[in-house]
Amino acid sequence: MKNSVKLSALGLIIAVLSGCATTFSSQVTTFQEWPNTAPTKTYVLDRTAEQENDLEYKQYADRLREKLSQLGLTEATANETAALSVKMAYATAVTGVKFTGSYYGPRSNYYYDPIWSLHYSRFYSRSPFFYPAGYSYFGGPFSGSLFGSDFYSRRYYLHQLAVTISDKSSGKKLFDVRASTEQSNPEIVEQIPFLLSSAFQNFPGENGKSVTVNLQLLD
């Protein structure tokens, strides 16, 4: 009886521990010529004309400021001349569609969806009326019949983030990092905090290296 109780308790602990953490995986590529001793660590966020009045960008910029602050970089005030220029870009693209179950058509797990290719389209409706002639409801000209099939489809999205830090006066790039992750969730807003953490992990990183970064996240 005691042994069975111990085994039950051990199983419960394992189950709890396995459910407490998930992993966020991303690919990070870094190019850098970061100086060993920077004369000053003030920076300015240089925005494009489109980003200037973009509320989504402003939210991500605040996240970026937090990361830069952790690195000892300080945003220049209106009366200061910044030594560094920081630029940020992000995007999401559909990478493919996975089918499970029975369907008519080629037996392949992934299909590229040429219609909804950019995050900025903001249309995730699966209505067949949004697809041009020749493309089926589920994303490809050969993806099978809509009627008489019982398959399930799921799109996958590649979320991408790029941050560049340059010398403000000369324009020389000092740090260029790109982080990306593939998720079934189409919303990049939920991925940006993790992509930023991955991008600046072990800053400035090794020059010309692509690594897989796994972040342990508490549920």
Side-chain angles (χ1 to χ4, degrees), residues 9-78:
L10 179 60
L12 179 60
I13 292 173
I14 294 174
V16 170
L17 290 177
S18 63
C20 286
T22 56
T23 300
F24 179 88
S25 181
S26 62
Q27 297 293 320
V28 177
T29 302
T30 304
F31 296 93
Q32 59 93 3
E33 292 183 359
W34 195 256
N36 293 328
T37 55
T40 178
K41 295 184 177 182
T42 57
Y43 71 88
V44 62
L45 281 176
D46 283 323
R47 309 169 180 83
T48 64
E50 293 78 11
Q51 291 173 340
E52 193 64 40
N53 195 35
D54 189 331
L55 295 179
E56 182 180 19
Y57 172 86
K58 289 180 179 180
Q59 179 178 339
Y60 303 157
D62 286 341
R63 294 278 190 174
L64 177 58
R65 289 185 179 94
E66 293 175 6
K67 289 298 175 184
L68 296 176
S69 177
Q70 293 171 8
L71 299 176
L73 303 181
T74 305
E75 188 170 16
T77 64

Side-chain angles (χ1 to χ4, degrees), residues 138-150:
F138 288 100
F142 306 104
S143 58
S145 171
L146 177 61
F147 303 99
S149 59
D150 58 356

Side-chain angles (χ1 to χ4, degrees), residues 126-132 135-137 146:
R126 296 179 184 275
S127 169
F129 297 105
F130 287 101
Y131 286 86
Y135 288 94
S136 78
Y137 181 65
L146 177 61

Side-chain angles (χ1 to χ4, degrees), residues 23-31 91 95 157-163 175-183 191-192 194-201 206 208-215:
T23 300
F24 179 88
S25 181
S26 62
Q27 297 293 320
V28 177
T29 302
T30 304
F31 296 93
T95 57
Y157 302 84
L158 183 67
H159 301 290
Q160 304 166 86
L161 170 75
V163 178
F175 178 75
D176 190 352
V177 63
R178 299 183 183 186
S180 63
T181 183
E182 189 175 49
Q183 304 287 339
Q191 319 302 327
I192 286 292
F194 307 128
L195 287 173
L196 281 169
S197 295
S198 300
F200 286 100
Q201 191 174 75
E206 292 187 61
K209 293 290 184 178
S210 293
V211 297
T212 299
V213 177
N214 294 312
L215 302 178

